[in-house]
Amino acid sequence: MGQCPSAPRRRKPPPLPPSPALSAPPQVLSSIAEAAGEDHTADLPEELLALVFGLLGSGDRKRCSLVCRRWLAVEGASRLRLALDARAPLLADSALPRLLARFPAVSKLALKCDRRAESVGDPALAQVADRLGPGLRRLKLRSLRAVTDDGVAALAAAAANLRKLSVGSCAFGAKGIEAVLRSCLHLEELSVKRLRGLAESEPISVSGPRLQSLSLKELYNGQCFSYLITQSPNLKTLKIIRCSGDWDIVLQDVPRDSLLAELHLEKLQVSDRGVAALFGLEVLYLAKAPEVTDVGLAELATKSPRLRKLHVDGWKANRIGDRGLAAVAQKCASLQELVLIGVNLTSSSLELIAANCPTLERLALCGSDTFGDAEISCVAAKCAALRKLCIKACPVSDAGMNKLAEGCPHLVKVKVKKCRRVTSECAERLRASRNGALAVNFDTPGGAGELQDGQSVDESGVLDNAGSDVLPEDLDDRIVLELSSGSSGRPSRWKARMGALMSRSLSVSIFRRQPHGACSTSHES
């Protein structure tokens, strides 16, 4: 009396019977021990063991190399990719030769250094050329500010079979790149980013006979690559991103019979003259080039009837609109993907695109002030081949989005972002209209994109945490996002539900931690 009823004691389980192995005679135990210590991979050929290591990830390969000396040797001899921290103190003296001797078969090498640290110099590249030069196929150099043109030239002379070179934040100049082009005649891909030595370099006077892809990013005096761009006969992909200077002259010099099919232009000084001079493009990414207008886009569409992908970031400049898109619709019947950011278009151009581009499968419209219910209704009624649709920060509402439930029979994925007039009920109706076959990714400001009871929806249309009290793993990120949004409204439903769950968990923990004295006091009273 006066005490809490004690819980019944749990009986200890009966002891397990002794293992047959423990009761076996000593001869059997010794044979078992020998079998357990036997290396069953000793009979495997090294070629087969190397094939097994090739199916593992980098971390697993490192752990396997610590098993025994044989595995260490086989793993090192069969490794094809190697990334090294190229800080000078780490690869000083004999450290780099020992590393290169351990991995003699490496064909893809990356040397990366922190921007604030001292990097290795020409002697390190000379050692790489001596050990790995003939077998190198891919090379990546990052932040090697102590490397000069002479060091790059020495490495290029030894790596004649190089196929891909990526350079970023290095200090050598055009002479080093020219040495690579002269020595590595099989080079197919070249990427140059923030090459500091180009400021006072002379123009490159060598072409790439097999060069297929060229990427230039954040370069000063990037026009020194003009000869390489215009005289490489097999160049198919060209990316010029955030490079200073006038690029109209370079684009105008591209031959009419060039194989150039994919062009990326971003944040460049380029106008209608440069864009209109191009022929035969299949993919065009045009971002933040305010001097390009409807005139240039229309001229390019006339000369590139096989255009398949068009991405335009108009930067809210209103230089590209219905006129240019109408020309694309009339001339480019093979258009499959259209992405428009900051471009104000109306149903007049959309009707032409839907009527003349029967293979249009992917459509994305972001930040368009004129894309409303009439335009989304036009898409739903006339874009029969559409499979993926993305709408972000556009003045559409439930009335227009509901049209998608009846149109676009091949639609499999819809993304709606930051469209304040679209509600979660509309997203539910869209999902229900296709019996769950339509993935709806719905996210609007203020928590309107969440389902009832705080359940969220992933891109496949499956409920996350449905019927579960488990807190999401990204709860802290969500809280930070809500706090940084600056919204003055009430907390959304998921916050209320999270608060209820947290309070309930807190009450349960308090109840469980309640001392026995409290229980005895309640009984005594």
Side-chain angles (χ1 to χ4, degrees), residues 46-47 49-54 61 71-81 102-107:
E46 292 186 355
E47 294 79 5
L49 195 58
L51 183 61
V52 174
F53 288 158
R61 288 184 68 110
W71 284 27
L72 177 67
V74 172
E75 193 278 331
S78 62
R79 182 181 284 267
L80 301 179
R81 297 185 180 184
R102 179 187 167 189
F103 305 105
V106 167
S107 61

Side-chain angles (χ1 to χ4, degrees), residues 56-68:
L56 303 178
S58 178
D60 291 334
R61 288 184 68 110
K62 291 178 182 179
R63 286 184 283 271
C64 287
S65 65
L66 302 177
V67 172
C68 61

